[in-house]
Amino acid sequence: MLSSVVIVTIVILLAMFMVLMNYLFWRRKFSRLMPGKQPGFFDLLGNLSELPLTEKSRNGLSINVFLLQMLCGFSKLFEKQKLFCVWFFCSPVIILTKAEAVEAVLSDPKIIEKSWFYSWLRPILGYGLVTSGNGKWKSRRKLLNPCFHSEILRDFMAVMNTQTRILVSRLQKETSKDSIDIVVPLSLCTLDVICETILGVSISAQERAINEFSQFVESIHRYGTCSGKNGKLPLLV
């Protein structure tokens, strides 16, 4: 009985080892097909292994901000290339850096399926236009096509200009500081524009003294931070 258990365990471990090695060889082969910083052969986290674990080692920055800075560094490193590849665990993430590469992707009607990263947004956004793919995306995008007509967009300019002036006025009050966090002001401006242009409702999110919309934006930001931590340390979040 014991020997059979040992044999089954050995077989399972060997199978897992073969699957792992097969993936590692595939990743090495795939990573040579395009520009990018190749991870070590046995580096299971991919390029995420370069992301420091502690806030102190990230100079007090959140995981989201540091990850964006790391991607900006890669973009600078491969700025002469049309695209480059970054590895998040077992998934290659293709970053487009040139307009012709972006045009090639956006003009291809077959490249509409969302990657597994979008599953982190579905608890908040559900299966909408941003997170859905294939049949759902096509049918919903077709319904929205009239909304992007140039004449309709021209009518929205007045709203965009008004809300932008409010944003500029708010930012001008902060010019005496060394630095400010512009995430919330920009998000509130975006929220005002979206609600007034698409929904036809003015919520004045930027102008409220006690702003429940700021709490909403900060909650979304915290969710993004937790999602970043979940990607880096899925067992600890």
Side-chain angles (χ1 to χ4, degrees), residues 34-35 71 74-75 78 81-86 88 92-98 101-102:
M34 63 184 65
L71 291 177
F74 286 154
S75 299
F78 301 104
Q81 305 292 337
K82 294 182 180 180
L83 51 82
F84 64 92
C85 178
V86 177
F88 288 176
V93 178
I94 311 301
I95 310 295
L96 308 178
T97 59
K98 300 295 182 182
V102 176

Side-chain angles (χ1 to χ4, degrees), residues 24-227:
L24 293 176
F25 279 111
W26 169 83
R27 186 177 68 176
R28 186 174 67 175
K29 180 180 178 181
F30 187 90
S31 62
R32 291 174 177 175
L33 298 177
M34 63 184 65
K37 191 171 183 180
Q38 298 183 11
F41 184 78
F42 291 104
D43 195 345
L44 300 181
L45 294 179
N47 296 117
L48 283 178
S49 61
E50 301 182 28
L51 196 61
L53 295 178
T54 63
E55 189 171 340
K56 182 178 180 180
S57 59
R58 298 193 301 268
N59 297 322
L61 300 176
S62 66
I63 287 182
N64 291 20
V65 175
F66 196 91
L67 181 60
L68 287 175
Q69 289 189 346
M70 189 170 73
L71 291 177
C72 288
F74 286 154
S75 299
K76 188 68 175 177
L77 186 63
F78 301 104
E79 61 181 350
K80 295 183 179 179
Q81 305 292 337
K82 294 182 180 180
L83 51 82
F84 64 92
C85 178
V86 177
W87 288 90
F88 288 176
F89 301 105
C90 59
S91 294
V93 178
I94 311 301
I95 310 295
L96 308 178
T97 59
K98 300 295 182 182
E100 51 266 31
V102 176
E103 181 182 9
V105 171
L106 295 181
S107 60
D108 192 328
K110 297 181 180 179
I111 308 179
I112 58 174
E113 185 61 36
K114 302 297 190 297
S115 70
W116 62 272
F117 292 109
Y118 283 83
S119 63
W120 294 351
L121 297 175
R122 285 170 185 153
I124 289 182
L125 302 180
Y127 286 83
L129 187 65
V130 174
T131 57
S132 61
N134 287 339
K136 282 187 177 181
W137 184 90
K138 288 182 178 178
S139 60
R140 294 170 182 178
R141 184 65 178 86
K142 187 176 182 180
L143 291 173
L144 286 175
N145 276 340
C147 298
F148 294 94
H149 193 278
S150 59
E151 291 298 326
I152 295 179
L153 295 177
R154 191 175 293 111
D155 293 338
F156 292 157
M157 287 301 298
V159 174
M160 295 179 184
N161 288 337
T162 299
Q163 298 302 332
T164 302
R165 291 191 187 98
I166 297 174
L167 173 64
V168 171
S169 176
R170 290 191 62 188
L171 294 179
Q172 283 177 338
K173 297 176 182 178
E174 308 291 337
T175 54
S176 59
K177 301 179 181 178
D178 293 333
S179 63
I180 61 168
D181 185 356
I182 64 172
V183 172
V184 172
L186 288 177
S187 300
L188 292 176
C189 179
T190 304
L191 192 60
D192 272 336
V193 171
I194 290 175
C195 289
E196 196 163 349
T197 55
I198 297 180
L199 303 179
V201 177
S202 177
I203 61 174
S204 302
Q206 298 185 87
E207 298 177 302
R208 299 196 182 195
I210 301 176
N211 204 327
E212 63 272 23
F213 295 106
S214 295
Q215 298 174 0
F216 168 75
V217 169
E218 290 171 357
S219 298
I220 296 296
H221 180 66
R222 284 198 301 271
Y223 177 79
T225 301
C226 291
S227 297

